[in-house]
Amino acid sequence: DLGFDFLRHSKTELCLRIANPTKRCDSRATDALAARLNPTLSLGAGERHEVDVAWDLVRHAVPDASDASEVWMPKVEPGPRFDVTIQTGAGHPAKIIPTSNWREVANQLVDAGLTVALIGAPRDPSFEAFGVMNLVGKYPLTETLGVVVSSGVHVAGDTGTGHIAAAYGVPTVSVFGPTEPTVYAPRGPRTTVLRRGVTPEGVSVQEIVAAVLAMKRGTS
């Protein structure tokens, strides 16, 4: 009866068109082909936070829909617990924090007495450092989620694990660069977003460490 495309790329727009529900709903197309496949509503996509745009799209299609009282996330088996987990990679090269910066962040956190683990997919950057557990490429996604959910603080660039951690209520520090945090920042009860210009390396090591320590102290 009703179909939504919240991703808005050609492949997902094509799936929605082929499924052919009675009503197709979309808030913005991200390319020319996507724009031709389904009707779109102008709801401020690209200017307002993606979550707010998505909710407005739902309300347009289902006027009596109420706001969700809580975020529902699937249950995951808790993994080994670390004071801090660091996601070293990101989905786009422009969003990746230099490995040298992550190494220094990890070293300073270890010096502060915290346990630190690196996580990521097999092709994500990794490094070896004293007192740092390198789990990059060693766990499948489900087990990686268990490590994230068990974290004292999760640190990441502008990438998926930051959103996942925030949604599970894990204190989260996200380092942004080319994308706009007001549109794409993780949503959660305890999130900090750092951004200095359009490249993530504009955020200093000291800023990242200070944000993590503030999260651990419960002052952020």
Side-chain angles (χ1 to χ4, degrees):
D1 297 323
L2 184 60
F4 296 94
D5 182 3
F6 297 114
L7 191 58
R8 306 184 299 259
H9 291 296
S10 295
K11 288 186 288 187
T12 53
E13 294 280 10
L14 185 60
C15 289
L16 180 60
R17 181 64 178 267
I18 292 173
N20 197 30
T22 302
K23 186 174 183 179
R24 305 191 306 274
C25 302
D26 188 2
S27 59
R28 177 186 59 156
T30 56
D31 56 69
L33 175 59
R36 299 179 61 183
L37 290 171
N38 295 299
T40 60
L41 291 171
S42 179
L43 298 172
E47 301 172 357
R48 302 167 56 223
H49 198 282
E50 290 283 278
V51 172
D52 298 325
V53 172
W55 261 114
D56 283 352
L57 185 63
V58 171
R59 292 190 192 98
H60 177 83
V62 188
D64 60 348
S66 60
D67 285 342
S69 59
E70 61 180 338
V71 175
W72 183 88
M73 296 293 287
K75 184 178 180 180
V76 296
E77 193 69 28
R81 178 174 172 79
F82 298 93
D83 293 321
V84 182
T85 52
I86 299 173
Q87 164 61 261
T88 61
H92 191 281
K95 299 179 180 181
I96 296 177
I97 289 88
T99 302
S100 58
N101 288 28
W102 279 142
R103 184 193 303 275
E104 185 57 30
V105 167
N107 286 338
Q108 291 193 26
L109 293 175
V110 169
D111 288 344
L114 302 180
T115 56
V116 178
L118 311 179
I119 64 169
R123 295 184 181 180
D124 284 339
S126 69
F127 58 86
E128 302 297 330
F130 178 77
V132 177
M133 180 69 72
N134 184 358
L135 301 178
V136 175
K138 296 180 180 178
Y139 282 180
L141 179 59
T142 52
E143 291 184 35
T144 297
L145 292 184
V147 176
V148 171
V149 170
S150 301
S151 304
V153 179
H154 181 64
V155 192
D158 174 15
T159 194
T161 59
H163 295 278
I164 291 168
Y168 277 103
V170 176
T172 306
V173 176
S174 296
V175 182
F176 270 60
T179 51
E180 178 53 56
T182 57
V183 177
Y184 297 106
R187 287 277 185 91
R190 289 187 64 195
T191 60
T192 294
V193 176
L194 304 175
R195 190 189 192 209
R196 300 283 184 185
V198 296
T199 58
E201 57 262 40
V203 178
S204 70
V205 167
Q206 289 71 27
E207 287 179 283
I208 297 173
V209 172
V212 172
L213 295 178
M215 282 287 188
K216 287 296 293 178
R217 291 192 300 265
T219 59
S220 177

